[in-house]
Amino acid sequence: MGDSPASIAPRTSGRARHVAIIMDGNGRWATKRGLPRAVGHQRGVEAVRRLVRGLEPMELDCLTLYAFSSENWKRSVDEVDDLMNLMRRFIKSDLPDFVANDVQLKIIGDWQSLAPDIVAMLEDALTKTSNGSKKLAVALNYGAQHEIARAAAKAAALGEITPETIAAQLDTHDLPPLDLLIRTSGEIRLSNFLLWQAAYAEMLFVDTLWPDFKPEHLERALDDFAQRERRYGGR
Ligand code: IPE
Ligand code: IPE
Ligand code: MG
């Protein structure tokens, strides 16, 4: 048999290098408490901050967070505005922290079509964090089907469509292979996130609502991952 495709690199180590999280449940967290959904999103940002600050001992090379999907534009104008404003505030307040903590920001998705001031802030953040050794990839205006279509079109323009040439054009081309995909809030679906990259990722669905997610939850998820046997179709 030939080698596994480069896009599905086999790994024997028990340590996860790349974890991605579908951060779901902000709205329900707020509604349960009789609060506006916007408060749930604010608390969701705090959960992100806690997690990024607690990353150091986890020895991850990359954490990818689903922050805004290409389908989230279907929400009310007010909710989308709240989310965009939170993003502006988060970049402004946490950029110095990223730089100080050796974090290299990556953005996946169609982020260049966000509001021009957000695009400018993100470009600045990408430049200022470019020397960091731990990657934090944020999925903004991200949809996996669109990402794959864009990558396939680029591969075709270069002359050859294969799993390897498509993978090389994905937004995640410079991130490590995905080891573990976590979704919070009890929903068991991918909602158009990392469909290609998840081909052989391990999955974990937890009931915790995103604003309640703590670094300890991620540590537990990493312990769970370390117990799993990855087979990639072999024996
Ligand atoms: C996740 O929380 C945040 C985003 C999708 C931006 P939700 O807003 O989807 O929360 P629920 O699913 O309504 O509880
Ligand atoms: C997925 O959550 C997107 C993000 C977490 C950013 P959604 O809440 O949008 O997904 P659905 O609508 O429940 O599938
Ligand atoms: Mg949701």
Side-chain angles (χ1 to χ4, degrees):
M1 293 290 283
D3 291 338
S4 314
S7 50
I8 306 174
R11 287 176 36 76
T12 48
S13 146
R15 186 173 80 82
R17 289 177 61 204
H18 183 182
V19 175
I21 308 181
I22 302 175
M23 309 184 287
D24 198 14
N26 293 349
R28 277 163 284 168
W29 186 94
T31 304
K32 257 177 44 179
R33 289 164 175 76
L35 297 166
R37 291 176 63 83
V39 177
H41 293 313
Q42 281 163 21
R43 301 297 284 263
V45 170
E46 283 162 32
V48 170
R49 190 170 285 135
R50 266 198 314 262
L51 199 60
V52 174
R53 288 185 180 160
L55 272 184
E56 184 60 39
M58 295 186 217
E59 296 185 343
L60 281 181
D61 296 337
C62 182
L63 176 68
T64 298
L65 300 176
Y66 203 6
F68 192 88
S69 79
S70 47
E71 287 75 34
N72 287 148
W73 297 108
K74 293 180 195 163
R75 298 188 180 197
S76 72
V77 175
D78 282 354
E79 182 164 356
V80 170
D81 278 353
D82 286 339
L83 288 165
M84 294 298 152
N85 287 331
L86 273 175
M87 206 181 302
R88 289 181 174 95
R89 259 181 277 149
F90 178 64
I91 305 164
K92 205 176 278 176
S93 61
D94 285 51
L95 181 56
D97 231 43
F98 290 171
V99 176
N101 289 304
D102 201 24
V103 168
Q104 181 182 159
L105 188 68
K106 296 274 178 189
I107 314 285
I108 61 171
D110 191 7
W111 61 278
Q112 310 266 6
S113 59
L114 294 173
D117 69 303
I118 296 184
V119 173
M121 287 173 92
L122 291 172
E123 277 167 350
D124 178 55
L126 290 170
T127 308
K128 289 189 173 138
T129 60
S130 62
N131 292 323
S133 66
K134 287 169 291 190
K135 291 176 178 166
L136 175 68
V138 183
L140 292 178
N141 195 15
Y142 176 89
Q145 291 178 337
H146 194 247
E147 178 198 28
I148 294 167
R150 276 191 282 118
K154 283 191 213 158
L158 293 170
E160 198 188 8
I161 299 190
T162 67
E164 292 77 13
T165 63
I166 291 175
Q169 300 300 333
L170 291 171
D171 297 354
T172 53
H173 66 93
D174 56 354
L175 305 182
L178 181 61
D179 293 315
L180 175 64
L181 178 59
I182 301 171
R183 183 172 188 144
T184 60
S185 88
E187 306 295 355
I188 305 182
R189 57 175 169 263
L190 296 180
S191 301
N192 205 10
F193 190 47
L194 300 180
L195 300 183
W196 179 287
Q197 297 83 349
Y200 267 101
E202 296 294 319
M203 308 225 177
L204 181 66
F205 297 91
V206 297
D207 288 335
T208 314
L209 299 174
W210 178 250
D212 292 327
F213 197 87
K214 308 250 157 47
E216 301 88 89
H217 291 90
L218 181 55
E219 277 178 35
R220 227 174 292 151
L222 293 172
D223 289 345
D224 177 313
F225 173 86
Q227 301 305 313
R228 298 193 191 186
E229 184 194 353
R230 302 180 81 184
R231 300 200 186 111
Y232 300 99
R235 279 294 179 278

